[in-house]
């Protein structure tokens, strides 16, 4: 056990034994480092570990505090299986769209941030000039590509404006990446479970699927490498940070190994990093792209989760596939609306985006704690609850549930959630579901969550 884990375990013991009360303030990072005679990085790692467990939380400008109650439920168990080629099923389309707060992975923007965005739009319109009469550059406006480069460089991801392509959202970036490096009929490796939008996209593009089992620290890389060695898969798509729906973040070791496999076998890996900046900890994890030496990782992202889904603005860092990617995107699209690009470029360059993201991640971390504590207090002890380190979704595993009865009653109650079977092409996750935790636990969100809890109790009792 490393030193930071030993320190974290001491805090856990103190909290469980009542020596540290809920709401009590913890030493600052520098105080902790001095008290325990450890480095500042060890102190940071200790608090990050405690945050990931839901034991403590940070308050802006105030410090670290013991959380009201620790989540007592176990975390979900990941089904292990021998992966093989399968095809997308039609059930990846949502049967009913009730548009409730627990359904779509989303949150809302603060009023002050909306005002700053409006100012950026007004400045962007004034700067349009004669570009109003021209189609957008298919690569994206230089000002936006530069703003993205400047924004991500301090986070540890270095690229030049000429290396990135602006797209109409993350799914657009992923679709173009698939067009650039695969053909219909090719098999694509994905995590299991996997975001249903990816499954739907692969089905629409006539690509086959190889599901790779999840692990606590990522995916089963041994199985993935086996498929690479045998030439079974042509490419792979993985969300590496705060995965949707399971909430896992690949460890640094996993991300390094994933990039190494892509380069070793010269197989493109499309990295879906739409949740990257929504870590519930102070530091932003590095993407696998940072460990890509030969350009076989195509890194995709967007502002859909970090800013607004309505803007439909994303990007891709295609690596060695840049020329093909640009050609494919220019054929399928006339580019992204220039005013939108200029406005977001202004918002990023002015520093408002970074500040807004920081506030959003703090808000989501607090909401996660509230949802986890509420679920833990009201669900049967056997229910397993994920404890994601970022993003805005929570994955539940409910042993013994009558899946058919639950699905029927959820639809009758107009309960907008995502059943586990939506996230796979296999006969898996019948006892699982995903909820969004991006809205305050009040009004409709609390009412829907109470309905969900009631149905879980009822459908377990009826088995």
């Amino acid at each position: 056990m490393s030193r930071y884990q030993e320190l974290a375990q001491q805090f856990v013991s103190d909290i469980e034994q009542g020596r540290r009360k809920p709401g009590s303030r913890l030493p600052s990072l520098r105080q902790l480092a001095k008290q325990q005679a450890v480095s500042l990085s060890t102190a940071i790692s200790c608090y990050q570990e405690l945050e990931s467990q839901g034991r403590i939380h940070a308050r802006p400008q105030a410090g670290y505090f013991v959380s009201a109650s620790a989540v007592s439920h176990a975390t979900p168990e990941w089904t292990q299986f021998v992966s093989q080629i399968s095809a997308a099923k039609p059930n990846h389309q949502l049967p009913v769209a009730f548009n409730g707060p627990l359904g779509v992975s989303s949150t809302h923007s603060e009023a002050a941030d909306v005002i700053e965005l409006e100012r950026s739009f007004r400045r962007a319109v004034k700067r349009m000039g004669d570009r109003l009469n021209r189609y957008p550059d298919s690569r994206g406006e230089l000002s936006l590509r530069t703003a993205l480069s400047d924004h991500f460089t301090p986070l540890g991801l270095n690229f030049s404006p000429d290396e990135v392509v602006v797209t109409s959202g993350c799914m657009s970036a992923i679709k173009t990446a698939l067009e650039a490096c695969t053909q219909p009929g090719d098999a694509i490796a994905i995590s299991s479970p996997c975001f249903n939008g990816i499954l739907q996209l692969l089905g629409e593009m006539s690509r086959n699927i190889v599901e790779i089992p999840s692990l606590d620290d990522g995916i089963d890389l041994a199985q993935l490498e086996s498929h690479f060695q045998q030439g079974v898969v042509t490419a792979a798509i993985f969300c590496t940070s705060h995965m949707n729906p399971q909430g896992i973040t690949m460890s640094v070791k996993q991300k390094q190994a994933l990039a190494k496999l892509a380069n070793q076998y010269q197989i493109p890996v499309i990295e879906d990093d739409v949740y990257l900046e929504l870590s519930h900890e102070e530091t932003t994890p590095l993407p696998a792209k940072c460990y890509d030496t030969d350009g076989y990782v195509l890194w995709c992202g967007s502002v859909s989760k970090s800013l607004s889904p309505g803007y439909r603005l994303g990007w891709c860092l295609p690596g060695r596939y840049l020329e093909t990617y640009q050609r494919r995107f220019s054929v399928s699209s006339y580019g992204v609306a220039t005013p939108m690009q200029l406005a977001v470029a202004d918002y990023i360059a002015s520093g408002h985006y970074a500040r807004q993201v920081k506030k959003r991640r703090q808000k989501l971390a607090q909401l996660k704690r509230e949802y986890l504590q509420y679920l833990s207090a009201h669900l049967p002890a056997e229910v397993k609850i994920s404890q994601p380190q970022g993003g805005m979704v929570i994955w539940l595993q409910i042993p013994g549930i009558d899946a058919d009865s639950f699905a029927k009653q959820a639809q009758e109650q107009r309960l907008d959630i995502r059943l586990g079977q939506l996230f796979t092409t296999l006969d898996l996750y019948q006892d699982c579901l995903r909820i969004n935790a991006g809205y305050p636990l009040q009004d409709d969100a609390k009412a829907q969550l109470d309905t969900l809890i009631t149905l879980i109790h009822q459908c377990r009792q009826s088995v």
Side-chain angles (χ1 to χ4, degrees):
M1 183 181 294
S2 65
R3 181 62 177 134
Y4 83 85
Q5 290 173 320
E6 292 176 353
L7 284 178
Q9 189 57 47
Q10 291 176 21
F11 278 100
V12 170
S13 178
D14 287 346
I15 293 170
E16 291 181 343
Q17 297 299 320
R19 291 188 291 269
R20 291 187 183 274
K21 304 295 184 182
S24 62
R25 186 194 297 270
L26 298 174
S28 70
L29 289 169
R30 294 190 182 279
Q31 287 173 333
L32 178 62
K34 185 175 181 179
Q35 290 171 357
Q36 299 293 334
V38 297
S39 66
L40 185 60
S41 63
T42 298
I44 291 172
S45 296
C46 171
Y47 278 3
Q48 287 179 343
E49 175 66 20
L50 291 169
E51 281 188 296
S52 71
Q53 296 179 22
R55 301 282 183 173
I56 70 172
H57 61 277
R59 295 178 189 169
Q61 313 301 322
Y64 291 88
F65 296 81
V66 177
S67 295
S69 63
V71 177
S72 59
H73 289 230
T75 54
E77 298 176 0
W78 307 112
T79 304
Q80 300 307 299
F81 56 90
V82 177
S83 56
Q84 53 189 330
I85 295 177
S86 60
K89 297 178 182 179
N91 69 342
H92 298 123
Q93 287 273 15
L94 299 178
V96 180
F98 296 132
N99 197 30
L102 303 184
V104 176
S105 173
S106 62
T107 186
H108 69 275
S109 298
E110 301 292 338
D113 299 322
V114 174
I115 291 173
E116 290 298 339
L117 271 169
E118 291 173 349
R119 290 171 178 166
S120 289
F121 268 95
R122 287 195 292 270
R123 288 192 291 265
V125 171
K126 291 180 179 179
R127 295 168 184 164
M128 279 287 291
D130 65 349
R131 279 178 289 189
L132 184 65
N133 301 312
R134 301 199 305 263
Y135 284 109
D137 187 330
S138 61
R139 297 172 299 172
E141 288 295 320
L142 178 59
S143 62
L144 177 56
R145 289 184 281 122
T146 300
L148 290 171
S149 174
D150 292 343
H151 173 72
F152 283 107
T153 293
L155 301 180
L157 181 60
N158 302 305
F159 59 89
S160 74
D162 291 336
E163 295 177 282
V164 66
V165 178
V166 177
T167 65
S168 302
C170 193
M171 290 300 291
S172 170
I174 293 171
K175 181 177 184 293
T176 305
L178 284 166
E179 293 171 338
C181 58
T182 70
Q183 299 291 330
D186 286 346
I188 313 299
I190 60 172
S191 64
S192 182
C194 177
F195 172 48
N196 64 292
I198 296 291
L199 297 177
Q200 183 179 332
L201 175 65
L202 291 171
E204 292 173 350
M205 297 182 70
S206 301
R207 269 60 166 180
N208 292 316
I209 292 168
V210 176
E211 295 192 31
I212 306 297
S214 291
L215 302 172
D216 286 339
D217 65 342
I219 58 172
D220 188 338
L221 288 174
Q223 288 207 53
L224 178 65
E225 182 172 11
S226 177
H227 290 305
F228 279 10
Q229 286 176 331
Q230 298 173 38
V232 173
V233 300
T234 304
I237 303 175
F238 294 114
C239 181
T240 59
S241 295
H242 321 309
M243 298 179 191
N244 180 2
Q246 60 271 58
I248 295 170
T249 293
M250 285 188 183
S251 66
V252 172
K253 185 177 180 180
Q254 275 248 333
K255 291 180 180 180
Q256 291 172 332
L258 180 63
K260 183 178 180 181
L261 289 175
N263 287 278
Q264 178 181 346
Y265 293 99
Q266 300 182 354
I267 293 178
V269 171
I270 301 167
E271 185 174 17
D272 173 6
D273 230 357
V274 70
Y275 293 98
L276 175 70
E277 296 192 82
L278 298 184
S279 172
H280 296 163
E281 302 171 354
E282 287 297 316
T283 56
T284 299
L286 293 175
K289 180 65 180 176
C290 287
Y291 311 108
D292 178 25
T293 57
D294 299 327
Y296 284 97
V297 176
L298 296 86
W299 182 67
C300 303
S302 83
V303 298
S304 294
K305 307 300 181 183
S306 58
L307 184 59
S308 168
Y311 294 156
R312 306 311 303 151
L313 191 149
W315 54 82
C316 181
L317 203 60
R320 67 188 302 113
Y321 301 93
L322 176 60
E323 184 178 342
T324 304
Y325 191 98
Q326 288 181 337
R327 185 167 61 250
R328 289 284 186 179
F329 188 70
S330 64
V331 168
S332 61
S333 171
Y334 285 109
V336 180
T338 302
M340 188 71 68
Q341 293 190 64
L342 296 179
V344 174
D346 180 273
Y347 194 66
I348 295 173
S350 66
H352 291 300
Y353 176 71
R355 289 189 289 272
Q356 183 256 318
V357 167
K358 183 177 181 180
K359 289 190 295 183
R360 177 164 292 192
R361 65 200 294 174
Q362 291 171 342
K363 180 184 74 173
L364 290 174
Q366 178 62 31
L367 288 173
K368 177 196 74 171
R369 289 190 293 272
E370 293 175 4
Y371 274 75
L372 291 180
Q373 289 163 8
Y374 196 82
L375 290 167
S376 184
H378 293 87
L379 286 176
E382 297 80 9
V383 175
K384 297 176 172 63
I385 309 172
S386 69
Q387 297 188 41
Q389 297 175 345
M392 55 187 79
V393 298
I394 296 174
W395 182 253
L396 304 180
Q397 186 178 28
I398 312 161
I401 195 167
D402 184 335
D404 292 336
S405 175
F406 178 84
K408 180 180 179 181
Q409 292 189 51
Q411 186 163 344
E412 290 174 352
Q413 295 282 343
R414 298 183 66 81
L415 180 62
D416 188 16
I417 55 173
R418 299 294 180 264
L419 301 176
Q421 63 203 43
L422 283 172
F423 303 100
T424 180
T425 60
L426 310 174
D427 187 23
L428 298 172
Y429 315 122
Q430 301 294 316
D431 60 349
C432 297
L433 60 90
R434 188 207 78 184
I435 62 171
N436 174 54
Y439 292 96
L441 194 50
Q442 57 193 29
D443 302 328
D444 288 346
K446 186 176 183 301
Q448 291 267 296
L449 198 61
D450 286 338
T451 299
L452 171 63
I453 291 169
T454 299
L455 289 184
I456 288 174
H457 280 281
Q458 290 175 350
C459 292
R460 290 192 76 250
Q461 293 170 354
S462 63
V463 176

